[in-house]
Structure formats: C-alpha cells, structure tokens
Amino acid sequence: MISADEAATVAVGFVRTLRAAGADVTPEQVRGFLGALDVLGPALRRDVYWAGRLMLCGDRDDLDRYDRVFSAYFGVRPRGVDGRRPLPLRPRPRLSVGVEPVGEGEPSPAADRPLAALAGSAEVLRHRDIAAMTAAERAQLRRLLAAFTLGGETRRTARRRPSRHARGEVDVRRTMRDLLRHGGEPVRLLRRNRVRSPRRVVLLVDVSGSMTPYADALLRFAHAASAAPAARAARAARTARVSGGSPARTEVFTLGTRLTRVTSCLTHRQPDLAMASLSHAVPDWSGGTRLGETLQAFLHGWGRRGMARGAVVVLLSDGWERGDPAVLAAQMQRLHRLAHRVVWANPRKAHPGYAPLAAGMAAALPSVDVFVEGHSLAALEHLAAVVRGAADA
C-alpha cells in the first residue's frame, strides 16, 4: 500500500508537470484532486487518471494536454483511455493490493499497479541532475519535456476589446449604436477592456563543450517551448481569439563560437526530427564559448531591431567565457536595457558550494534579473514559471 504522504508527493509532482505544460491549475483544483485521491484509497493509476481529468481540466483544450502529460509522467496511459472515448465509470470493489481483477479473473495490466511503484521513479527523475541520468531516464525525460510549453508573461496592449462584464471603460461608439437601435432610449452602458497578450520569449542556448551533458535536454525544452508545432499553435490561436490577443512566437538561438538562429529547425512536430535538423544547422556544437561576441551578434542582427524589445530573454548557459569578459558585460547591459526581463538558467548553480566566480558569469550577473538553476526537470519547470511571471528566483 502507498502511504498518504507518498501519494501526495507524487500527485503534487504531477500537477507541477501539468502546469509546466501550460495548464492553468488553481490551488482549489489541486485540493480537490488530492481530496479525490484520498477518497479513492488504493490510488491506482486509473483512479488517478480520472480524478485528475475531472478536477484539473478546465476546458476542452486541456484534455489533450492532460493525456500527454499523464502518459509521459506515469509511463503508460491506462488501458482503454485514448482521450476521445473515455472508459465508462463503473463501480468496483476496493482492494488493498496492487492488482485489480478485470473481466474473467484476469489481472489488471501495468496501468493499474500502485501509484508509488509507477510514479515514484518519475518524481525522483524530476530532481535528478540531467548529466547523471541513464539512457532510460533520458528517454523518460524526453517524453516529459515534449509536453512542456513556455509562454511569456502577459502585458497590456494598446488595442481594446468589448468587455463581457460590467467592468472597464465605457465604449462610447458601441453604446451609441445600441442606443439608436432602441429608438434613443438608454438601455445599458457597453464597456471595453485593454487586450492582454503574452510577451515574446527568446531562448539563447549554449551548445559549447562544457554544456554538452545538458545541451540535448535544453534544446528539447526549447523545441517544446516553441509555438511552431501545429497542435500547440492551434491551441494558442484559439486562446488568442478568446482573450483578444495573439500568440507570441518563441525564438531560439544557439550560442558557441558563433550565433545560429534555429527557430525554423524546431518547426518539426516530432522532437527527434527537429533535433536532427538542428544538428545539421549548428556548426559549432561542443566547441568553444564566446558568449560576448555571440550576444553582440544577436543584438546587432536581431535584438535591437525589435526581437528583444519588451521580450523575456532566457540564457541557458554555465557562464564559461573564453573571450573578453568586459565584452560580455557590455553586451549584457545593452540586452538588459532592451528586454523586459533577462533570465539566466545555469545548470552548475545546483552543485554544492557553487559560486558565480567564472569570469563570464561574474561579468553577466549584474545585468540579470533572475538567476535560476537549469540542471533538472524540476528546475526547468521552475524556469517556465519564472518566464510566465508566476514565480521568482
């Protein structure tokens, strides 16, 4: 049997992964989810699936996202669950063992083993250093990263849209047209609100030799964060039509001895195809590091022309610099003046006794708004929350 504390730990880890995938899960929904698991008792994976589907999905767009995250986090989707034709809810006997009879005395498949045995490894994986993972753990990490999304924090734009509630400024034109339709009789005041849209996110990923253990995972994180894949773009467009805004494009560059824009390489829906395309496009993979020069090239070619203006710029690097640290410091100051916020994710930050003493990291840090870790799945989940403006360092 799984203890209540173990079940809560695993369930909260699943919710965090779901949030990192872009689901807007409220604390009330989390409490309802944990309460449902407490009532279900044995906490079999099929029970967890339906409890989460009912409590954590707010609209139709959340269903596909929930299925992808559940399948990646728990390893295998429960038998008969395909997101389109859900299993009928039938009463069943409550058991205190890890298998449940289904049909003619057959044991339940692996999908109905106890929650601790199935998700314990996923919860441990969330906090494990990517550089120390085995091949099997990296495969599971890739499945979890494929479910990520990365939206910038929202901002108010100059455009306005009709308000569905009695809030906001009075829309004089619509109010007058409505008045004329009713023969000049005052009926109601129609209002409008400012449109809110997500800020652009720019990812600068270090692919130098010192970042080799982390580069693949960080680039897969960038692929999942990109708005290019068709399914995510379609969901973003539907959300934008509802909120009145427009989906912001996520731009991705690699840093090494030169700057390479790889946004177009990440348009492939399949992560493996995207990574194969990217490997051919990046000529300086596992080479040296010239952060100052590559950042200068980014600002000269794209940043000051508008890509970095008002954007959330994320650098994923260990801060090792073979060039002049003074150049990096000057370019970071320029970037800080252009961007809305500069976030630096350093995989080495989680190491015991770490201090930003490397010349490049020390030169860049004064111009960094948020300095976070980037060594594990949990650290990347926190990074996604920081970029959305939902968390601080």
Side-chain angles (χ1 to χ4, degrees), residues 118-330:
L118 292 165
S121 60
E123 182 59 23
V124 171
L125 184 70
R126 291 183 62 251
H127 301 280
R128 180 163 297 174
D129 194 311
I130 294 172
M133 288 183 179
T134 64
E137 289 171 338
R138 287 182 179 274
Q140 187 178 3
L141 175 69
R142 290 168 181 172
R143 291 194 297 269
L144 291 168
L145 287 175
F148 268 51
T149 59
L150 189 68
E153 59 184 289
T154 59
R155 61 182 179 87
R156 292 203 311 168
T157 67
R159 295 192 299 123
R160 291 170 171 81
R161 62 180 174 86
S163 174
R164 297 181 180 181
H165 308 285
R167 295 192 301 267
E169 62 186 54
V170 176
D171 189 336
V172 178
R173 291 186 177 181
R174 291 179 59 240
T175 299
M176 292 300 297
R177 287 197 296 267
D178 187 64
L179 185 146
L180 293 175
R181 280 196 295 268
H182 292 84
E185 294 291 335
V187 178
R188 56 176 176 167
L189 293 177
L190 301 179
R191 300 181 181 273
R192 60 182 183 175
N193 291 321
R194 287 283 186 92
V195 171
R196 302 189 67 88
S197 63
R199 294 182 181 274
R200 179 185 289 110
V201 178
V202 180
L203 300 177
L204 305 176
V205 185
D206 188 346
V207 294
S208 63
S210 60
M211 286 289 292
T212 299
Y214 302 96
D216 179 79
L218 294 179
L219 287 170
R220 287 176 183 272
F221 171 75
H223 172 263
S226 175
R232 297 187 185 92
R235 287 195 297 272
R238 289 196 294 269
T239 303
R241 287 195 294 270
V242 172
S243 62
S246 59
R249 182 183 179 89
T250 299
E251 295 286 347
V252 185
F253 294 80
T254 60
L255 308 176
T257 57
R258 66 182 69 185
L259 177 77
T260 307
R261 187 183 184 185
V262 296
T263 305
S264 60
C265 298
L266 302 179
T267 56
H268 293 286
R269 184 181 181 89
Q270 296 297 327
D272 291 336
L273 293 178
M275 293 300 295
S277 175
L278 188 145
S279 65
H280 289 90
V282 179
D284 55 342
W285 193 283
S286 298
T289 311
R290 296 193 180 97
L291 293 177
E293 296 177 15
T294 53
L295 190 56
Q296 184 178 29
F298 166 72
L299 292 171
H300 179 75
W302 288 277
R304 69 181 185 181
R305 297 183 180 181
M307 185 177 290
R309 294 184 186 276
V312 180
V313 181
V314 183
L315 293 99
L316 301 108
S317 171
D318 57 4
W320 288 98
E321 171 65 299
R322 293 189 177 181
D324 187 358
V327 176
L328 176 60

Side-chain angles (χ1 to χ4, degrees), residues 42-64:
L44 301 180
R45 185 159 49 173
R46 184 163 53 191
D47 298 336
V48 178
Y49 175 86
W50 285 112
R53 186 180 173 99
L54 294 173
M55 299 303 302
L56 303 178
C57 296
D59 54 43
R60 182 178 294 274
D61 291 341
D62 287 337
L63 298 179
D64 179 64

